[in-house]
Amino acid sequence: MTQHIYWHAPVWEVLLLGLTGLVLLTWLVWRAVRRPHPSAALSAIDPALNDQPLFFFDRVHGVVALNDGAQQVVNALSASQDPHSLDVLTDALLEAQEEARLVQQPGWPELGYGLIAAPVAGQTGSVAGVLALVAPEPLLPPAERRPDEPAMLATDWIEIGATLRLHRQQPAVRVQRIDPALTGQAATEWQENQISPTEEVLLRHLLTHSNEVQAGEALFSAVWPDDEVDTFGLRPDQKDRLRHLVFQLRQHVEPDPRNPRYVRTAHGAGYVLYSNEEMVVP
């Protein structure tokens, strides 16, 4: 025998029950899909982390301020009407992503501070983005000459620095590199590397204007004179081409390509070759 139970209630009770269920469902959906801002998560861990400027960069989203400290830096630079400072930030983060290495920019956003940008590896091993922070300390020590520099027998090599030589006529360089697996005198050795024609043009142009920042437009025109440069500056594809060429050149001329000491980036401005005050033929 089947029994049927009927619930008799006023209409307002039915509506109230339905509205309560709808509100509860909406709240659960909102909790499930909402993403808390990174600044809230950092503050929950330690309030000081919200004041330490942190940035994230990738080509899709650009530069993202992860906390209030980073947003304050961006606001201050925007209010100063100096777009160069923001270009320095973007250029440094883009270089860290393209070259997959740690990039440091001393004196940014002001003297006494420095920017540290580190690539973040993705699931496939490629660089997914760059995480950067501002630290209140000097970052890049000045390059020092090596006291144990061996004498070079050839007279047709130009001394660019303590560990770098450029052939006067041929597209070749000699660089002293350190093998971390060895110790003592055996840890250092001079390598001779051939460089491409475009790398040679870039290096010799930088050497002609050594210790002076060269704008990206000037370097691009020197290497690719047939490719017209717009009056408003390099196009994104031209910037990428020049940046890739600089990356290739560093693989041949730097004792440690992941920590350049000769071909350095003047973020937001161009590149500079740091060499001896006077060129010496050993």
Side-chain angles (χ1 to χ4, degrees):
M1 181 177 180
T2 304
Q3 292 183 345
H4 297 278
I5 300 177
Y6 297 93
W7 176 44
H8 299 279
V11 176
W12 68 269
E13 291 185 0
V14 177
L15 294 177
L16 179 61
L17 182 62
L19 182 61
T20 303
L22 181 61
V23 171
L24 180 60
L25 179 62
T26 303
W27 180 78
L28 291 174
V29 172
W30 175 76
R31 287 294 302 271
V33 301
R34 82 180 185 97
R35 295 181 178 180
H37 194 272
S39 61
L42 293 173
S43 297
I45 299 174
D46 189 336
L49 294 177
N50 192 37
D51 299 328
Q52 178 78 38
L54 294 173
F55 299 92
F56 183 79
F57 171 83
D58 62 20
R59 286 188 173 271
V60 177
H61 302 94
V63 180
V64 178
L66 296 182
N67 57 7
D68 293 341
Q71 190 60 52
Q72 291 174 3
V73 170
V74 173
N75 294 340
L77 295 178
S78 300
S80 67
Q81 298 181 349
D82 181 13
H84 174 72
S85 295
L86 292 177
D87 291 341
V88 170
L89 173 63
T90 304
D91 199 28
L93 299 181
L94 186 58
E95 181 176 337
Q97 182 176 37
E98 291 296 323
E99 300 190 10
R101 66 177 181 86
L102 184 71
V103 171
Q104 305 180 29
Q105 177 62 31
W108 193 94
E110 59 186 16
L111 293 178
Y113 292 85
L115 180 72
I116 305 176
V120 178
Q123 295 181 350
T124 60
S126 59
V127 177
V130 177
L131 186 64
L133 61 86
V134 176
E137 55 184 12
L139 300 174
L140 287 176
E144 298 180 356
R145 294 185 60 87
R146 302 183 62 86
D148 56 345
E149 176 185 351
M152 306 297 291
L153 299 179
T155 59
D156 51 358
W157 294 86
I158 300 174
E159 175 186 324
I160 296 180
T163 57
L164 180 61
R165 303 288 186 270
L166 171 64
H167 198 280
R168 291 188 178 276
Q169 298 178 346
Q170 299 178 9
V173 295
R174 284 180 177 174
V175 57
Q176 187 182 39
R177 289 185 168 153
I178 299 178
D179 187 350
L182 302 176
T183 59
Q185 187 66 28
T188 62
E189 62 176 0
W190 285 84
Q191 299 177 359
E192 183 170 329
N193 300 323
Q194 298 294 316
I195 57 178
S196 68
T198 52
E199 293 171 2
E200 182 184 14
V201 172
L202 177 61
L203 180 58
R204 294 191 185 277
H205 183 90
L206 288 170
L207 182 59
T208 303
H209 305 277
S210 61
N211 304 310
E212 299 177 1
V213 176
Q214 295 297 297
E217 293 82 358
L219 294 175
F220 189 91
S221 297
V223 178
W224 297 284
D226 296 333
D227 196 336
E228 184 178 357
V229 175
D230 192 82
T231 56
F232 297 101
L234 297 178
R235 301 189 307 268
D237 63 298
Q238 293 174 328
K239 289 183 179 179
D240 288 343
R241 199 191 316 174
L242 179 60
R243 184 178 290 108
H244 182 66
L245 180 62
V246 171
F247 172 76
Q248 291 179 316
L249 179 62
R250 284 172 174 160
Q251 307 310 304
H252 294 131
V253 304
E254 295 290 350
D256 181 5
R258 300 184 65 86
N259 185 27
R261 60 182 299 181
Y262 292 111
V263 182
R264 299 269 284 276
T265 304
H267 295 293
Y271 298 91
V272 58
L273 175 68
Y274 288 110
S275 65
N276 295 335
E277 292 289 335
E278 180 179 359
M279 295 303 147
V280 179
V281 179

